[in-house]
């Protein structure tokens, strides 16, 4: 007769806020009797508006030290091994690339003794697979790591920030009904018998208010929405949320029109501090480039914004420097902190008019705008280019699979 003994360990919970991923709960379990420990994370904030797909080309051992936030709704793939960890099969974790691989190896090794006794052939194949996995840790050959998270709450570190990471590709996408069902999100379709024209007229003449939750403290709040006509441009929808509980304020801009036939690239040469007061509309599909700093901010990083050029630069500085989770704690290194601090100082010099730079707004959807202070005459310091989108850009915008004609055909 066997007797089972159950002893108690201790679990510690820490609610912490990471600006890129809202709030997370870190749980750490330890047992003083057998010394077993385990650490997990789970999102304490809301699900993001879009899913995110990270594709990393691992080329050096330094890449193995990149930090990774992987939520429980994220799937992980390594195409070279034809290996996949499906979503919801592992708890969320805060680790490194190497730690992610170690965790996968531990999962494969867990039942090997039983397999060797019951099915030696399968055990041998899995052992060969484990050895291939261990070779990946030594980066004897390049491989691709793909993390696909419909909730948008996963992240792979860019060690070269604020510069662009050539080995890392980040793609935001709209969730499918299947993704929403897996995440437990219900999308209700409301029937509206009123004519669209009447709805637009109502939006033009009044501020619409609807109930929502604060993105910071999740308390009930109100979001104000207004349709605004930007001179010499088009109509946009401005949404602003104010939370009476925590004081958080946020605003977001959505285009009021359709996707343009051509993309737009706006280049402004900053020649005077007064340029900082130019009105600016950055849609969620617009990327921002500063060639002199070798800096590129990808689409959807700051969402849609209606602000000034100075406001955009301050938001970029806050995102890269002030609110960067890898600037503090164990994640911070002297070299990284110094590099990002220097980047922040350069942004301050641009705002003060002490640096001669160019600001480029590149929007494949053509829904971004930068004020021309000489309107209706051309601006000598601003260049506006229209271009034909590539297949990849149409794919990112979801236009390749969109069909709007021929539904009546048999």
């Amino acid at each position: 007769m066997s007797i089972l003994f159950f002893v108690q360990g201790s679990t510690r919970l820490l609610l912490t806020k990471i600006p890129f991923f809202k709030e997370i709960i870190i749980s750490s379990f330890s047992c003083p009797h057998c010394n077993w420990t385990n650490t997990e994370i789970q999102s304490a904030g809301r699900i993001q508006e879009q899913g995110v797909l990270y594709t990393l080309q691992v080329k050096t051992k330094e890449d193995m030290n990149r930090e990774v936030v992987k939520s429980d709704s994220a799937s992980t793939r390594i195409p070279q091994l034809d290996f996949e960890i499906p979503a919801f099969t592992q708890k969320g974790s805060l680790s490194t690339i190497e730690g992610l691989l170690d965790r996968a190896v531990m999962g494969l090794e867990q039942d090997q003794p039983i397999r060797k006794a019951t099915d030696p052939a399968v055990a041998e194949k899995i052992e060969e697979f484990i050895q291939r996995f261990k070779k990946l840790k030594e980066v004897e050959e390049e491989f691709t790591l793909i993390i696909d998270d419909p909730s948008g709450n996963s992240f792979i570190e860019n060690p070269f920030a604020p510069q662009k990471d050539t080995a890392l590709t980040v793609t935001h996408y709209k969730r499918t009904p299947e993704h929403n069902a897996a995440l437990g999100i219900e999308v209700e379709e409301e029937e509206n018998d009123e004519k669209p024209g009447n709805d637009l007229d109502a939006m033009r003449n009044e501020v619409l208010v609807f109930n929502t939750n604060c993105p910071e403290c999740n308390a009930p709040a109100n979001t104000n929405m207004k349709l605004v006509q930007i001179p010499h441009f088009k109509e946009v929808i401005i949404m602003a949320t104010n939370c009476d509980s925590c004081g958080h304020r946020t605003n977001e801009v959505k285009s009021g029109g359709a996707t343009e036939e051509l993309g737009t690239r706006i280049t402004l040469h900053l020649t005077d501090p007064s340029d900082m007061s130019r009105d600016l509309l950055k849609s969620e599909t617009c990327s921002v480039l500063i060639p002199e700093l070798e800096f590129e901010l990808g689409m959807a990083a700051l969402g849609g914004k209606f602000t000034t050029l100075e406001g955009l630069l301050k938001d970029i500085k806050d995102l890269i420097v002030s609110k960067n989770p890898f600037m503090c704690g164990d994640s911070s290194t002297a070299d990284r902190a110094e590099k990002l601090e220097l980047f922040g100082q350069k942004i301050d010099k641009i705002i003060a008019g002490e640096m001669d730079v160019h600001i480029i707004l590149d929007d494949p959807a053509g829904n971004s705008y930068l004020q021309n202070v000489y309107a209706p005459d051309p601006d000598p310091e601003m260049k506006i280019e229209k271009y034909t989108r590539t297949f990849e850009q149409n794919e990112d915008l979801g236009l390749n699979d969109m069909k709007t004609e021929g539904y009546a055909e048999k």
Side-chain angles (χ1 to χ4, degrees):
M1 181 179 64
S2 61
I3 301 176
L4 298 178
F5 292 94
F6 296 94
V7 294
Q8 291 185 343
S10 58
T11 299
R12 294 177 174 86
L13 300 177
L14 173 64
L15 177 64
T16 185
K17 177 182 175 183
I18 299 180
F20 288 155
F21 323 106
K22 306 302 179 184
E23 293 180 335
I24 63 172
I25 299 175
I26 302 177
S27 61
S28 176
F29 176 81
S30 61
C31 177
H33 302 279
C34 66
N35 296 323
W36 188 78
T37 60
N38 184 37
T39 302
E40 298 177 357
I41 73 164
Q42 63 184 46
S43 175
R46 63 176 184 175
I47 295 173
Q48 304 303 307
E49 292 186 359
Q50 292 182 314
V52 65
L53 175 68
Y54 288 92
T55 304
L56 174 66
Q57 300 295 330
V58 181
K59 301 178 181 179
T60 64
K61 285 190 175 181
E62 286 73 17
D63 287 330
M64 303 298 291
N65 296 325
R66 291 175 184 249
E67 297 194 24
V68 179
V69 175
K70 176 184 174 296
S71 75
D72 53 1
S73 61
S75 62
T76 305
R77 289 185 287 129
I78 301 178
Q80 287 80 0
L81 296 183
D82 196 19
F83 175 79
E84 179 177 0
I85 303 175
F88 301 105
T89 58
Q90 289 184 347
K91 294 292 186 179
S93 63
L94 173 60
S95 181
T96 61
I97 301 293
E98 183 177 4
L100 208 62
L101 297 182
D102 284 338
R103 190 177 184 184
V105 170
M106 288 177 59
L108 293 172
E109 290 180 337
Q110 183 175 1
D111 296 327
Q112 275 296 84
I114 298 177
R115 293 192 192 99
K116 290 179 180 179
T118 58
D119 197 338
V122 173
E124 183 179 355
K125 291 181 180 180
I126 293 180
E127 186 63 32
E128 294 176 358
F129 195 81
I130 292 174
Q131 295 305 318
R132 293 179 62 188
F133 239 115
K134 292 181 177 180
K135 289 182 179 179
L136 290 186
K137 291 177 54 179
E138 301 300 324
V139 197
E140 296 180 1
E141 59 181 24
E142 297 181 9
F143 67 93
T144 304
L145 177 69
I146 301 174
I147 295 182
D148 187 353
D149 187 0
S151 75
N153 287 323
S154 294
F155 182 79
I156 295 181
E157 177 194 6
N158 172 11
F160 307 103
Q163 275 74 39
K164 182 179 179 179
D165 189 344
T166 57
L168 180 64
T169 303
V170 184
T171 305
H172 294 83
Y173 61 87
K174 185 177 180 179
R175 283 187 292 270
T176 64
E178 290 75 15
H179 287 147
N180 289 329
L183 295 172
I185 302 175
E186 291 187 3
V187 180
E188 298 181 356
E189 296 183 359
E190 298 182 357
E191 296 183 359
N192 192 348
D193 297 331
E194 298 182 3
K195 295 181 180 180
N198 295 335
D199 292 341
L200 291 176
D201 291 339
M203 291 178 65
R204 291 188 181 97
N205 297 327
E206 64 177 325
V207 176
L208 304 180
V209 181
F210 56 91
N211 298 326
T212 184
N213 289 339
C214 174
E216 293 296 326
C217 67
N218 207 35
N222 291 329
T223 294
N224 300 323
M225 183 172 67
K226 182 72 168 67
L227 188 62
V228 178
Q229 175 67 45
I230 298 179
H232 308 289
F233 190 52
K234 62 171 66 176
E235 286 183 327
V236 297
I237 300 173
I238 299 180
M239 296 183 291
T241 302
N242 298 327
C243 179
D244 296 331
S245 299
C246 67
H248 176 74
R249 302 177 63 184
T250 182
N251 67 80
E252 189 173 357
V253 176
K254 299 287 187 180
S255 173
T259 301
E260 298 292 328
E261 292 184 4
L262 299 174
T264 302
R265 184 181 295 106
I266 305 172
T267 303
L268 176 66
H269 182 203
L270 300 182
T271 57
D272 191 90
S274 62
D275 287 330
M276 292 295 108
S277 61
R278 290 177 184 248
D279 288 334
L280 179 146
L281 170 65
K282 176 197 173 296
S283 78
E284 59 186 5
T285 59
C286 178
S287 58
V288 182
L289 297 88
I290 307 177
E292 288 78 4
L293 301 187
E294 297 181 357
F295 172 77
E296 179 178 352
L297 181 73
M299 63 172 64
L302 285 175
K305 283 187 172 294
F306 184 49
T307 179
T308 61
L309 189 54
E310 179 180 3
L312 178 66
L313 291 174
K314 287 183 176 180
D315 287 339
I316 290 175
K317 178 184 175 182
D318 289 342
L319 179 68
I320 301 300
V321 181
S322 304
K323 296 180 180 179
N324 193 329
F326 300 109
M327 277 286 287
C328 57
D330 296 338
S331 299
S332 177
T333 62
D335 292 341
R336 180 185 299 164
E338 182 180 356
K339 182 169 59 175
L340 294 181
E341 187 65 30
L342 179 60
F343 176 80
Q345 294 174 4
K346 290 181 179 179
I347 293 292
D348 290 336
K349 289 182 179 180
I350 294 175
I351 295 175
E354 299 175 1
M355 284 190 68
D356 185 9
V357 300
H358 293 76
I359 302 292
I360 301 176
L361 304 179
D362 191 349
D363 188 354
N367 288 327
S368 293
Y369 161 84
L370 183 59
Q371 182 185 11
N372 174 7
V373 294
Y374 298 92
D377 297 326
D379 189 332
E381 301 299 336
M382 187 165 67
K383 180 181 178 182
I384 301 178
E385 303 171 84
K386 298 289 185 178
Y387 63 89
T388 302
R389 286 184 292 270
T390 64
F391 179 87
E392 290 75 15
Q393 289 173 324
N394 282 327
E395 188 73 16
D396 291 338
L397 296 174
L399 299 178
N400 289 333
D401 298 325
M402 186 179 295
K403 183 180 180 182
T404 59
E405 298 177 353
Y407 287 103
E409 297 179 1
K410 294 183 179 180

